Amino acid sequence: MHYFDYKNDELYCEDVAIREITATVGTPVYVYSYKTIERHLLVFDKAFRDTPHITFYSCKANSNIAILSLMGKLGGGADIVSGGELFRVLRAGIPAKKIVFSGVGKTDDEIRSAIKAGILMINVESASELAAVARVARAMKKKAFLSVRVNPQIDAKTHPYITTGLKKNKFGVLWDEARRLYGEMKGNPYLVPIGISSHIGSQILEIGPFMEAVKSLKEMMLQLVTDGITLEYIDIGGGLGITYRDELPPQPEDYGRVVGQELKGLDVTLILEPGRVLVGNSGILVTRLM
């Protein structure tokens, strides 16, 4: 649902005529609906009300600082993939402890900035990245709080260009490698493993792939317990699809219910990283034809 409607053949955003906005600021202009974003975040968050969780908005969906600020005011955190996004999120007022740093190819400067800011955790995507974090943390003499992004080899049944959970994709590491990386963290005084994560793709229109991913991560967490490693967070990423034309994506309520059932009894906090589903229909681009 969104708050863009026609009244007497004139387009409105909430209770303001688009014509009034363009008369004030000109064109081209992006117009976003506060109520749409607010409603989507609160509905999504409510869907997981029975499961300990934190909703981290995926900034790559739209990193407009006003939108980031709104997410923070509504209690949300932020999933970032660059030092630039870290800067924007902190400037928007989102607390560092509600920031997760994902993405491949993090530079030493970006890692240093994240550790210095005191973010919740860095999602490590490879053995070489873990080595970089260890090097930077040791030089800073500060602890880095980490999660490993595991590639669960699950077909998200979405477009091949936006699937990220198969072995052929560049994101994350396979479980055997991930388990070894957790072992390395355990023996390093500057590395603190606190979570495990996965993200299998975007614009996913079925609940099944999400459930497979959650079950897989749960099994991995239990195996880590036998290795003497107890984690606090399980990050299942984002990817819930939206309607563009005739797609019928799962409702957040159904998504929340099945994920909650799978995690029931597990002493862990769920991290969610919705992006498109929160802002996909929250704004329009207004232009003038001459």
Side-chain angles (χ1 to χ4, degrees):
M1 179 180 175
H2 58 77
Y3 287 86
F4 291 92
D5 296 294
Y6 282 94
K7 300 177 183 180
N8 297 321
D9 294 325
E10 185 169 5
L11 182 60
Y12 277 70
C13 174
E14 299 175 18
D15 295 320
V16 181
I18 299 300
R19 174 179 47 80
E20 294 179 20
I21 297 174
T22 59
T24 302
V25 302
T27 60
V29 61
Y30 285 101
V31 178
Y32 298 106
S33 165
Y34 183 107
K35 286 185 178 180
T36 297
I37 297 171
E38 179 183 49
R39 182 181 186 278
H40 288 179
L41 179 60
L42 295 180
V43 166
F44 193 92
D45 199 55
K46 184 180 178 181
F48 291 86
R49 60 189 174 277
D50 297 326
T51 303
H53 73 281
I54 310 174
T55 302
F56 287 70
Y57 167 62
S58 181
C59 297
K60 67 177 73 68
N62 190 323
S63 60
N64 181 289
I65 288 184
I67 290 176
L68 297 177
S69 178
L70 172 56
M71 295 296 181
K73 289 176 182 177
L74 294 173
D79 163 48
I80 64 171
V81 294
S82 70
E85 286 188 352
L86 174 61
F87 175 82
R88 296 175 73 86
V89 167
L90 291 173
R91 185 172 181 181
I94 294 178
K97 286 302 181 184
K98 282 192 174 182
I99 300 174
V100 170
F101 195 164
S102 305
V104 299
K106 303 178 186 73
T107 67
D108 283 11
D109 283 343
E110 288 176 324
I111 293 168
R112 190 176 298 108
S113 294
I115 295 174
K116 182 179 179 180
I119 70 170
L120 180 65
M121 66 185 186
I122 297 172
N123 283 337
V124 174
E125 302 255 0
S126 65
S128 59
E129 185 174 289
L130 180 61
V133 174
R135 182 178 64 251
V136 172
R138 181 176 295 277
M140 296 177 69
K141 293 183 170 53
K142 286 193 173 185
K143 292 183 178 181
F145 296 89
L146 307 174
S147 167
V148 175
R149 177 172 174 176
V150 181
N151 184 322
Q153 302 184 70
I154 290 172
D155 184 358
K157 299 179 181 179
T158 185
H159 192 283
Y161 289 175
I162 52 176
T163 186
T164 59
L166 295 173
K167 185 176 181 179
K168 65 181 180 180
N169 299 131
K170 66 181 179 181
F171 302 97
V173 297
L174 300 181
W175 171 234
D176 286 344
E177 175 74 352
R179 195 170 187 178
R180 185 184 68 78
L181 296 182
Y182 278 108
E184 287 187 18
M185 292 186 215
K186 186 179 177 183
N188 189 313
Y190 293 103
L191 304 180
V192 185
I194 62 169
I196 188 168
S197 68
S198 75
H199 176 69
I200 59 174
S202 299
Q203 187 57 10
I204 300 171
L205 301 174
E206 300 178 24
I207 288 182
F210 288 118
M211 292 313 305
E212 289 183 55
V214 173
K215 288 180 180 178
S216 180
L217 288 180
K218 180 180 176 180
E219 291 173 3
M220 294 172 193
M221 285 189 69
L222 296 177
Q223 289 181 50
L224 287 173
V225 171
T226 66
D227 296 340
I229 299 172
T230 302
L231 304 178
E232 302 174 48
Y233 299 96
I234 181 169
D235 183 345
I236 63 172
L240 189 62
I242 64 173
T243 300
Y244 284 96
R245 183 173 295 177
D246 54 6
E247 298 93 339
L248 294 173
Q251 293 299 308
E253 192 74 19
D254 297 327
Y255 179 37
R257 184 180 64 256
V258 295
V259 171
Q261 289 173 348
E262 186 61 38
L263 295 179
K264 192 172 183 179
L266 200 62
D267 185 19
V268 68
T269 297
L270 173 67
I271 289 178
L272 303 150
E273 298 173 356
R276 185 194 312 252
V277 72
L278 299 185
V279 298
N281 66 349
S282 69
I284 59 173
L285 172 62
V286 184
T287 63
R288 187 183 302 274
L289 297 179
M290 304 301 289

